[in-house]
Amino acid sequence: YPRDCVFTMHSRETWVKEARTVKLHEQPYKMVTTMKYDRVKNKIIKDVPLELFGIWQTEAYEPPRAENGVVPRNGYGNVELFKPCMLPHGTVHLQLPGLNKVCKKLGIDCALAVVGFDSHGGWSHPVFDGFIVCKEFEEKVIDAWNIEQDEIEKKEREKIDKRVYGNWKKLIKG
């Protein structure tokens, strides 16, 4: 290994969190064993081989490009956005609650953004924050979301008014 490199080694998945990918045809610098949970058999498997790669075996992550209004996703249907440079080309990250419902009504493709992982209960869970939408639909989606929020607020107000007037009606009749 190059002596001037920082001596840190990670698995392929961990390098993705650092916005780096393992170069093509690289052999792992080191092999170690680890434990893995098998959900199908509901048991922990020991001595699973894990490949470790050094930083000199990696290169900067090149995000995919959104084409034809479709957001590129990972195998789980999400977009990994551990660092801002990982945002796919031609997309924007919108942190608006309930945006997926608005996009579904409009027929626009959107995907959840995975911004990290949280460990609790002994297991690691993804942390979601916002949605990824193609740039060409950004203004349309935000306008529709604002209209949706106005309608929700109006319905909440009508619900409160109905309850208030109902209580007054009961009081007067009593």
Side-chain angles (χ1 to χ4, degrees):
Y1 69 90
R3 294 196 185 276
D4 59 339
C5 287
V6 177
F7 196 74
T8 57
M9 290 188 292
H10 299 294
S11 64
R12 287 181 192 270
E13 295 80 19
T14 307
W15 279 119
V16 170
K17 294 176 191 171
E18 298 292 327
R20 301 192 66 79
T21 56
V22 176
K23 294 176 186 174
L24 286 177
H25 310 297
E26 278 289 336
Q27 297 297 319
Y29 181 75
K30 188 175 184 180
M31 293 287 287
V32 295
T33 58
T34 186
M35 293 186 302
K36 182 180 177 185
Y37 177 70
D38 187 1
R39 290 181 188 220
V40 176
K41 296 179 182 175
N42 197 20
K43 62 178 10 179
I44 295 175
I45 303 170
K46 294 183 180 180
D47 298 330
V48 176
L50 179 67
E51 300 175 334
L52 296 181
F53 296 90
I55 194 165
W56 63 92
Q57 295 175 301
T58 64
E59 58 193 5
Y61 177 79
E62 181 61 34
R65 182 168 296 283
E67 294 178 2
N68 301 325
V70 178
V71 178
R73 294 173 161 81
N74 64 9
Y76 299 100
N78 307 315
V79 176
E80 294 168 343
L81 193 62
F82 303 119
K83 295 192 176 198
C85 65
M86 295 180 75
L87 184 68
H89 297 293
T91 62
V92 289
H93 181 211
L94 300 175
Q95 296 171 310
L96 304 172
L99 188 69
N100 56 337
K101 294 175 187 174
V102 173
C103 288
K104 190 173 183 179
K105 285 180 185 176
L106 296 174
I108 295 173
D109 188 40
C110 79
L112 270 169
V114 178
V115 295
F117 285 90
D118 184 26
S119 296
H120 59 275
W123 302 104
S124 185
H125 306 281
V127 175
F128 301 105
D129 184 28
F131 298 91
I132 307 296
V133 179
C134 290
K135 274 185 185 173
E136 62 238 29
F137 302 121
E138 179 183 11
E139 289 181 24
K140 184 177 179 182
V141 168
I142 291 174
D143 291 341
W145 184 82
N146 286 329
I147 291 169
E148 183 81 17
Q149 293 302 308
D150 291 342
E151 289 175 10
I152 289 171
E153 189 177 308
K154 182 180 174 185
K155 286 179 184 178
E156 292 273 332
R157 188 69 206 155
E158 287 174 0
K159 185 177 175 182
I160 291 171
D161 288 346
K162 184 177 177 183
R163 185 173 173 200
V164 167
Y165 290 127
N167 288 341
W168 275 108
K169 188 176 177 180
K170 284 180 189 175
L171 181 68
I172 291 171
K173 286 186 176 181

